[in-house]
Amino acid sequence: MNGTLTAIVCLALSVITTAAWQAPAAPTPRSDAPPVWAPAITKARLSNGLPVWVVEQHELPVVQMSLVVRSGTAADPPAHAGIASLTAALLTAGAGGRSAVAFADELDRHVANLSASTTADASLLRVYVPADGLAAVLPLMADAALRPAFPDAAVDGARRQRLDMLRGVRDDPDALVALAFARGLYGAASRNAAPQIGSVASLESTSAADVQAFHRAAYRPANSTMLVVGAVTADDVLPLLERHFGSWRAAGGPGAAEASTADTQPPARQLLLADVPRAPQARVLVGGVSRASAPADYFPIQILTAVLRGRFSEPRTPALREYTTGVRPGFDRRRSGGPLAVTMAVQGHKAAEALAELLGELADALKGVSASELARAKREVAAEFAQTFDATGRISSRLQALEALVTFDLPDDTYVTYADRIDATSADDVLRVAAQYLDPAHLVIAMAGDRADIEPRLTALGLGTPVAVDVDTLFGARK
């Protein structure tokens, strides 16, 4: 499996992935950085109560829209892990009386792109269309959201594809370490311990009727928000939305409730090892999970991540410097407790030594943050934020920024006050979240590599005897 495909599969496979921790290189602060985006949001509701947000952006003659459904993988029923992802993938596999081929041909005719995706907290149906084609494409978007066919053949095909993906990464260290880390972090019973696309058992037991039931429960006006960004006015787009989405009604029954995602730290430090016999390299994930999704923690966490990134950019210790291909910290924001983790790829025979040095570096992070480190981290976070709204991909970035406001219940002035809140974050704030996420007594340490080589070295260094993690267990295969 080539590197690109591995990354794609890992991202699709698990809510937590090694790839997710690979933060981009620190941006260089720019004196000519664009002003912070202060969106003028026109807010309205359709007759059925569906909230609509419109942001005019007339620099290019295009419109992008996103239907944000606040049910993502965390809303998967326990017996049907992966159903949110499966449902989203099937929205355009026939809808509104059109076959999948006819649906795609109609989109192509209008030079439009319609795609669906899922995160832990939301399912997203996005459309990109030239402004003069919006009226013609909106009925297609409405059909996909409101009237997907979910034909048995398409559901079976998508299920088989996901099962093939699971089989294809059974010996992939990135996938194994991500799933082992998630299992240790959240507990075996948590939805977050299973792959995002589902486990073998859950996929084998999910039918077209189950997908239809999830769609009825989750895809409701009261659980959704429509976002519109681009060369259109609210006066123009609201009547079109009313025509195509105003008749949307909940199908009845309760909504798709979020599954429990255990937002407390594991009771004790865990050391988990997934065996990849004769693997020349090992993958390591070390981190913790927040006790809650407290908004006050977001900016300290961003700055803590930048502090760690700076420390690991030029490792001070021999094993990290000489035997790893990079040590990268990252944070995955969730409505419930989200993980902060550090990942590394290391030569297998030095995995134990590198882990020992990594734990020492994380312990140092709890002792203090210097004034120069804090200032550098703040500049980096501020510059990265400013680049989000730079000219390249501006409409897409701004649509995603609105999606974050909806998904995480953020105030409308979040981006206006962003720089001020970065500046107001103190070293004490950073140390507070460091103690919460990186508490040595509660860290989850997951490794994937050659157990015969790694385990004796861990024991010899006094790091403990790892708990072996069975591959079938990780992927939810039936015994």
Side-chain angles (χ1 to χ4, degrees), residues 414-431:
T414 292
Y415 304 118
V416 178
T417 62
Y418 202 98
D420 290 340
R421 295 183 70 180
I422 291 171
D423 190 57
T425 301
S426 69
D428 287 342
D429 295 327
V430 175
L431 290 177

Side-chain angles (χ1 to χ4, degrees), residues 175-264:
L176 294 175
V177 77
L179 291 173
F181 182 74
R183 189 176 182 86
L185 200 66
Y186 291 102
S190 171
R191 167 62 185 96
N192 286 339
Q196 179 175 345
I197 62 171
S199 67
V200 173
S202 70
L203 287 168
E204 287 178 343
S205 66
T206 296
S207 67
D210 297 319
V211 173
Q212 291 164 355
F214 181 85
H215 179 267
R216 286 193 300 270
Y219 286 67
R220 297 172 292 116
N223 195 39
S224 307
T225 300
M226 180 69 79
L227 307 176
V228 184
V229 179
V232 69
T233 67
D235 287 343
D236 289 335
V237 76
L238 285 170
L240 291 173
L241 290 173
E242 179 64 37
R243 183 183 312 158
H244 298 292
F245 286 87
S247 61
W248 185 17
R249 297 289 186 271
E258 282 196 12
S260 172
T261 52
D263 59 359
T264 58

